Amino acid sequence: MFQPSQKIREATHAGSWYIGDRKQLDAQLNDFLSKAKAETIPNIKAIIGPHAGFSYSGPTAAFAYQHLVQKEGMKVFLLGPCHHTYIKGIGLSELEIYETPLGNIELDQPTIKQLSAELKKNFIFTNKEVEEEEHSLEMHLPFIYKVFPKCKLIPIMVGATTEQQDAQVASVLVKYFVDPNTVFVISSDFCHWGKSFRYTPYNKEHGEIHQSITQLDGQAIKLIESHNIPEFYKYLEDTKNTICGRHPICVLLNIINLSKLQLRTQLTKYNQSNQVTKPNDSSVSYAALVTSLI
């Protein structure tokens, strides 16, 4: 039972971006996960999943979460981008509880305080208003609670980090990553295509616009799967692909390379919100990837 004095991040997007009723939301997650059911990939260390409204991205996210296995004493590091607040480095939370319609998740404040000391100048403490406005973390909370209802959460907002900062942050996080009772969740959509996003590249050699987008995202996904951080940075610079979680992904790739673990990253699902065929159309791409011990 949580006390009134505890500092709580409310589920501000419940009832709009996803179902706010506990039973209905649980039923929807069960449906997503059952439809994504496949042979489980064991020993997952990290997943990448989307953060749009559940009606759009929930089915894709399930293709990552269905590989996670319930386990006592888990710590979940949740890394997501900042859509509304400009942060040069990392944003850490001073709150104690993150609310979901399914149940509340306790933050691991001892670990967060340790991180704040280790990250030094590369972080700020965010506040309740900033955290409640940001959806990239919240959209993963129901899935996290569903899989790890008793986990301790370490939410991290990743701002406009430099390549040097990505490496520095990764050097701090890697010791947590190698812990067998830890999993990393990276929140990211992929290409945001359309005039409203000010991003409309189209290579007709690949067919329709949506096929060109698939090819563009496919390049990024192959680089993520190969853990090729220099080429991923180059790809982002060359294509300007609007992958909103590019900074959290870069932190993860740095962690993977520093960990010295034998790891495989693979795509489990790719989708688009709309199959674009006309220049005035728009779409957002969603991908589910999992990183597992070999």
Side-chain angles (χ1 to χ4, degrees):
M1 188 73 178
F2 301 114
Q3 303 301 318
S5 60
Q6 289 182 302
K7 296 183 287 186
I8 299 175
R9 182 208 184 280
E10 296 178 19
T12 51
H13 294 77
S16 53
W17 287 56
Y18 60 99
I19 296 169
D21 178 82
R22 182 181 64 83
K23 289 185 178 180
Q24 292 179 21
L25 177 60
D26 189 56
Q28 184 184 51
L29 291 175
N30 285 335
D31 182 57
F32 289 159
L33 291 166
S34 67
K35 289 178 178 176
K37 199 66 181 171
E39 185 176 348
T40 301
I41 299 169
N43 303 316
I44 300 297
K45 289 305 302 172
I47 65 171
I48 298 174
H51 54 237
F54 272 10
S55 62
Y56 293 100
S57 70
T60 300
F63 278 84
Y65 279 97
Q66 73 102 6
H67 295 287
L68 297 177
V69 179
Q70 287 201 24
K71 188 177 177 182
E72 293 292 326
M74 287 297 291
K75 291 185 179 182
V76 178
F77 283 72
L78 173 58
L79 282 66
C82 308
H83 289 86
H84 308 288
T85 301
Y86 181 77
I87 299 175
K88 282 187 176 181
I90 299 299
L92 298 177
S93 178
E94 292 185 287
L95 302 180
E96 297 171 328
I97 301 295
Y98 269 20
E99 179 186 75
T100 87
L102 301 179
N104 295 337
I105 303 174
E106 184 179 349
L107 270 62
D108 185 352
Q109 275 301 333
T111 297
I112 292 171
K113 287 181 173 60
Q114 187 175 345
L115 282 175
S116 69
E118 294 169 336
L119 287 168
K120 299 177 181 177
K121 295 181 180 180
N122 286 312
F123 90 99
I124 63 167
F125 279 118
T126 52
N127 59 46
K128 177 179 168 72
E129 181 181 357
V130 167
E131 291 175 51
E132 289 182 342
E133 187 177 27
E134 179 55 57
H135 65 274
S136 72
L137 302 185
E138 181 177 342
M139 299 308 296
H140 283 268
L141 298 179
F143 275 107
I144 290 171
Y145 185 89
K146 180 74 174 171
V147 178
F148 302 122
K150 295 181 180 179
C151 75
K152 294 291 183 70
L153 182 71
I154 300 92
I156 299 175
M157 294 174 65
V158 183
T161 50
T162 64
E163 292 185 27
Q164 183 181 17
Q165 283 180 309
D166 290 340
Q168 290 170 344
V169 171
S171 70
V172 171
L173 293 178
V174 65
K175 70 178 179 182
Y176 302 98
F177 180 82
V178 299
D179 186 324
N181 292 319
T182 296
V183 68
F184 275 59
V185 174
I186 309 300
S187 177
S188 183
D189 297 332
F190 277 71
C191 182
H192 297 62
W193 195 97
K195 292 179 181 178
S196 61
F197 301 116
R198 299 180 182 178
Y199 190 72
T200 56
Y202 175 32
N203 186 337
K204 294 182 179 179
E205 292 180 6
H206 298 296
E208 298 281 3
I209 296 173
H210 64 88
Q211 294 171 310
S212 175
I213 296 169
T214 298
Q215 191 275 338
L216 179 66
D217 282 331
Q219 293 177 53
I221 290 165
K222 285 180 180 178
L223 293 171
I224 294 168
E225 288 179 320
S226 64
H227 307 153
N228 192 333
I229 186 69
E231 285 300 314
F232 188 64
Y233 281 125
K234 184 176 184 300
Y235 164 88
L236 292 171
E237 178 63 29
D238 291 346
T239 67
K240 304 294 190 290
N241 193 359
T242 46
I243 302 172
C244 55
R246 57 193 176 277
H247 294 293
I249 290 171
C250 288
V251 171
L252 175 65
L253 292 178
N254 274 280
I255 292 171
I256 288 170
N257 289 334
L258 287 171
S259 74
K260 307 302 182 184
L261 297 175
Q262 294 296 309
L263 298 164
R264 175 187 291 115
T265 297
Q266 54 192 302
L267 179 72
T268 56
K269 187 67 174 178
Y270 175 81
N271 212 337
Q272 295 168 0
S273 63
N274 180 37
Q275 299 281 286
V276 175
T277 58
K278 300 176 183 177
N280 289 329
D281 288 346
S282 64
S283 76
V284 179
S285 304
Y286 311 124
L289 296 99
V290 298
T291 298
S292 58
L293 292 166
I294 299 174

